[in-house]
């Protein structure tokens, strides 16, 4: 990065201040999806970020191997994004209802110019779950407008993740939805692709096509006119960075076309360069009908998401009043967030972050192979941009996972932190998703920190 870091801001916290923060957090803060007892009194509080590095209140400097929560694509401390945000706030932060501000318009054009279909139309929202909600509603409404009134079913894959809101959580097909009772009617799941534990025996490409064909089986069983959409992540992060063969997505495209069903690619994690292309389906040679994005769109500097619709879909909403997409989110596409996104995408252009994702992704994957020296490493997935996973197993020959009661995740998170590496929820699966701006030296640091951590973990587990 070229001299644009916010180096002058070096916060110093006294012991008393840190204690006060821990106490207030312990009493009043809900940390998302975390048990209070796991962090009370010991919450990691971060005060500074620069490139791929972050600093906590204890002065630890760590490499963020998860780019925040899969979003810090351009890295931390980008002054130009902060300037753009400030300028927009001072000019006009939000438009009066019914109008728009300049960044919303410019960003829609910029996204369309990068998208598979340059005539695409963009519906801005505030984050990934809202993007999924929007895409699903849009798909149902589209099917309605094109003559399939009763199409309400949404097909997704088990062990995927499409968001936390009440509808989106229904699509994950994982236990995340268990505690909220009955989920959305019409949510139907099929097998997910898993290269390490394939759902069927046989050649991986045949198995991948067989997995894709499960969608067709369900469509025929349910009745094609009752199905609105198929939704899937191009690379499933929730399922441990599962990269399917190109034939998988090509088959999904064929099935969606055959039955006139909307194909939604949930690119909340993969969108904007993560897989070495701006949009992941480019790797598979297909174009989805609707794409959901969020995270890397602003590199997390401000909350923003979008549902991007191809012209075919968005044109259905043009015409008489009853064709209007009746969907309104007060803060969807906040101009300040759009200003952050525009500046973020300028950095992408200037520093070729997508190319860097491809190059460093290859380098990372090559270097990761060394970790097979550890007996507890069962599988290493990656090689498609800066997205990889190391899967740990108790027994490599049988692919048996560690018993849940050993608390692998707690032990490993601490070890990684001690080795100055952050990988959120590392356990059976260590996800690796660093900022796209990462350098070769930083990849080397990441690999040796992982290597040393696995040495320590192996020792602990054999004690
Ligand atoms: C594929 C996918 N879809 C949707 C979401 C939900 O995004 P958000 O947490 O911004 O609501 C996520 C979040 O990680 C995701 O990974």
């Amino acid at each position: 990065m070229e001299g644009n870091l916010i180096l002058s801001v070096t916060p110093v916290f006294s012991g008393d201040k840190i204690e006060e923060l821990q106490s207030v957090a312990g009493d009043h803060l809900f940390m998302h999806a975390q048990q209070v007892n796991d962090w009370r009194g010991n919450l990691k509080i971060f005060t500074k970020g620069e490139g791929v590095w972050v600093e906590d209140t204890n002065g630890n400097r760590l490499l963020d191997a998860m780019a925040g929560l899969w979003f810090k694509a351009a890295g931390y401390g980008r002054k130009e994004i902060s300037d753009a945000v400030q300028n927009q706030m001072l000019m006009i932060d939000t438009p009066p209802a019914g109008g728009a501000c300049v960044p919303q318009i410019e960003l829609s054009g910029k996204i369309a110019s990068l998208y598979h279909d340059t005539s695409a139309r963009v519906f801005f929202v505030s984050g990934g779950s809202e993007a999924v909600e929007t895409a699903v509603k849009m798909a149902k409404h589209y099917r309605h407008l094109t003559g399939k009134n009763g199409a309400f079913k949404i097909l997704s894959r088990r062990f995927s993740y499409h968001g936390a809101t009440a509808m989106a959580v229904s699509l994950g097909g994982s236990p995340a939805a268990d505690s909220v009772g009955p989920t959305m009617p019409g949510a139907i799941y099929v097998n997910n692709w898993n290269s390490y534990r394939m759902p069927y025996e046989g050649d991986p490409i045949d198995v991948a096509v067989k997995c894709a064909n499960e969608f067709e089986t369900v469509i025929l069983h349910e009745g094609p006119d009752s199905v609105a959409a198929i939704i899937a992540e191009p690379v499933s992060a929730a399922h441990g960075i599962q990269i399917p063969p190109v034939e998988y997505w090509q088959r999904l495209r064929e099935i969606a076309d055959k039955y006139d069903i909307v194909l939604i690619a949930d690119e909340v994690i993969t969108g904007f360069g993560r897989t070495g292309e701006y949009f992941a389906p480019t790797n598979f040679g297909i174009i989805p009908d609707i794409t959901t994005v969020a995270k890397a769109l602003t590199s997390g500097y401000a909350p923003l998401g979008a549902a991007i619709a191809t012209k075919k879909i968005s044109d259905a909403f043009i015409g008489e009043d009853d064709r209007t997409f009746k969907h309104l989110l007060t803060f969807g596409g906040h101009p300040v967030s759009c200003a952050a996104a525009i500046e973020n995408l300028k950095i992408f252009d200037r520093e070729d972050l997508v190319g860097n994702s491809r190059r460093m992704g290859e380098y990372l994957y090559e270097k990761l192979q060394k970790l097979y020296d550890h007996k507890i490493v069962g599988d290493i997935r990656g090689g498609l941009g800066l997205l990889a996973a190391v899967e740990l197993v108790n027994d490599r020959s049988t692919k048996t996972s560690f018993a849940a009661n050993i608390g692998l995740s707690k032990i490993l998170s601490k070890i990684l932190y001690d080795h100055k590496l952050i990988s959120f929820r590392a356990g059976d699966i260590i996800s690796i998703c660093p900022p796209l701006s990462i350098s070769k030296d930083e990849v080397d640091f990441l690999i040796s920190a992982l290597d040393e951590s696995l040495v320590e973990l192996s020792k602990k587990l054999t004690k």
Side-chain angles (χ1 to χ4, degrees):
M1 281 191 287
E2 313 141 358
N4 54 6
L5 305 173
I6 310 172
L7 290 172
S8 55
V9 188
T10 312
V12 179
F13 289 93
S14 66
D16 284 353
K17 180 67 187 171
I18 296 171
E19 224 170 89
E20 181 197 327
L21 290 169
Q22 291 289 353
S23 161
V24 174
D27 289 344
H28 302 294
L29 187 63
F30 252 124
M31 288 297 292
H32 292 208
Q34 291 184 59
Q35 169 54 239
V36 177
N37 286 334
D38 285 345
W39 56 263
R40 196 201 292 271
N42 187 29
L43 180 60
K44 306 280 185 303
I45 306 173
F46 296 94
T47 53
K48 201 177 159 191
E50 240 184 79
V52 300
W53 303 95
V54 290
E55 251 179 61
D56 68 13
T57 39
N58 297 324
N60 291 309
R61 187 168 182 266
L62 305 103
L63 193 152
D64 185 359
M66 274 289 288
L69 192 53
W70 320 93
F71 56 70
K72 190 56 69 192
Y76 292 90
R78 295 288 192 167
K79 185 173 181 310
E80 58 272 61
I81 299 183
S82 144
D83 288 346
V85 162
Q86 190 188 13
N87 287 343
Q88 189 58 42
M89 278 198 176
L90 292 173
M91 299 262 279
I92 177 165
D93 61 324
T94 44
C101 287
V102 177
Q104 297 163 309
I105 300 166
E106 288 184 344
L107 183 60
S108 68
K110 176 68 186 175
I111 292 175
S113 76
L114 298 171
Y115 196 59
H116 320 276
D117 171 8
T118 51
S119 310
R121 196 175 280 276
V122 185
F123 193 106
F124 287 119
V125 297
S126 306
S129 300
E130 276 186 9
V132 168
E133 298 276 341
T134 302
V136 166
K137 258 172 99 173
M138 193 183 281
K140 289 182 182 181
H141 200 159
Y142 169 82
R143 289 281 275 155
H144 180 129
L145 289 172
T146 52
K148 294 290 180 289
N149 216 342
F152 70 97
K153 294 171 190 164
I154 307 291
L155 314 189
S156 63
R157 288 121 28 111
R158 292 183 196 99
F159 309 114
S160 53
Y161 181 71
H162 296 291
T165 49
M167 192 288 292
V169 82
S170 313
L171 305 176
S174 74
D178 280 357
S179 53
V180 293
T183 49
M184 181 184 75
I188 303 173
Y189 316 115
V190 304
N191 263 317
N192 209 327
W193 165 251
N194 187 321
S195 59
Y196 187 47
R197 295 185 171 85
M198 291 198 297
Y200 305 105
E201 294 203 351
D203 170 73
I205 294 175
D206 294 342
V207 174
V209 170
K210 208 166 169 183
C211 289
N213 283 342
E214 286 194 18
F215 282 104
E216 184 169 40
T217 306
V218 173
I219 290 165
L220 291 173
H221 178 76
E222 297 289 325
D225 291 354
S226 73
V227 179
I230 290 172
I231 183 167
E233 315 102 308
V235 174
S236 180
H239 201 29
I241 315 297
Q242 289 295 344
I243 307 170
V246 292
E247 289 79 0
Y248 179 82
W249 270 90
Q250 288 178 351
R251 186 70 192 117
L252 290 194
R253 184 65 273 178
E254 278 170 16
I255 294 167
D257 284 342
K258 186 168 169 189
Y259 301 102
D260 194 22
I261 282 163
V262 178
L263 182 61
I264 304 173
D266 184 353
E267 289 232 67
V268 167
I269 285 180
T270 53
F272 298 98
R274 185 51 63 188
T275 65
E277 296 285 351
Y278 266 98
F279 295 95
T282 305
N283 295 297
F284 305 127
I286 66 110
I287 302 181
D289 299 307
I290 306 178
T291 295
T292 53
V293 293
K295 303 190 186 265
L297 175 53
T298 64
S299 286
Y301 280 82
L304 187 66
I308 309 169
T310 54
K311 186 168 162 54
K312 176 185 128 185
I313 300 289
S314 65
D315 274 0
F317 294 89
I318 299 173
E320 300 301 316
D321 277 358
D322 62 355
R323 292 197 159 261
T324 309
F325 183 38
K326 296 191 190 74
H327 187 59
L328 186 157
L329 297 154
T330 301
F331 294 122
H334 197 293
V336 170
S337 301
C338 291
I342 290 171
E343 216 47 50
N344 178 51
L345 293 178
K346 282 186 191 160
I347 297 171
F348 270 62
D349 276 348
R350 211 164 47 237
E351 298 182 14
D352 185 24
L353 292 188
V354 180
N356 200 53
S357 170
R358 209 176 308 125
R359 289 184 293 274
M360 288 302 107
E362 273 169 27
Y363 183 65
L364 170 76
Y365 188 54
E366 182 195 315
K367 291 282 161 180
L368 278 172
Q369 304 308 311
K370 170 182 190 307
L371 301 183
Y372 277 121
D373 291 349
H374 301 274
K375 268 177 27 199
I376 56 171
V377 170
D379 194 30
I380 296 171
R381 298 185 281 277
L384 197 69
L386 277 164
L387 196 54
V390 176
E391 182 158 348
L392 305 182
V393 285
N394 195 9
D395 182 339
R396 197 185 264 173
S397 62
T398 58
K399 303 185 183 177
T400 313
S401 302
F402 287 96
N405 64 4
I406 69 162
L408 181 64
S409 179
K410 282 182 195 164
I411 305 170
L412 182 57
S413 299
K414 177 161 180 350
I415 295 175
L416 290 172
Y417 206 87
D418 290 345
H419 286 87
K420 310 288 180 248
L421 201 63
I422 297 180
S423 175
F424 184 62
R425 291 213 177 119
D428 292 323
I429 290 168
I430 307 173
S431 302
I432 305 163
C433 172
L436 304 185
S437 55
I438 196 167
S439 68
K440 235 176 171 182
D441 286 351
E442 289 163 339
V443 172
D444 290 341
F445 176 94
L446 191 160
I447 296 290
S448 38
L450 253 182
D451 195 15
E452 288 163 22
S453 298
L454 291 177
V455 171
E456 196 177 324
L457 178 68
S458 304
K459 276 189 203 151
K460 270 217 159 78
L461 293 173
T462 47
K463 258 186 200 164

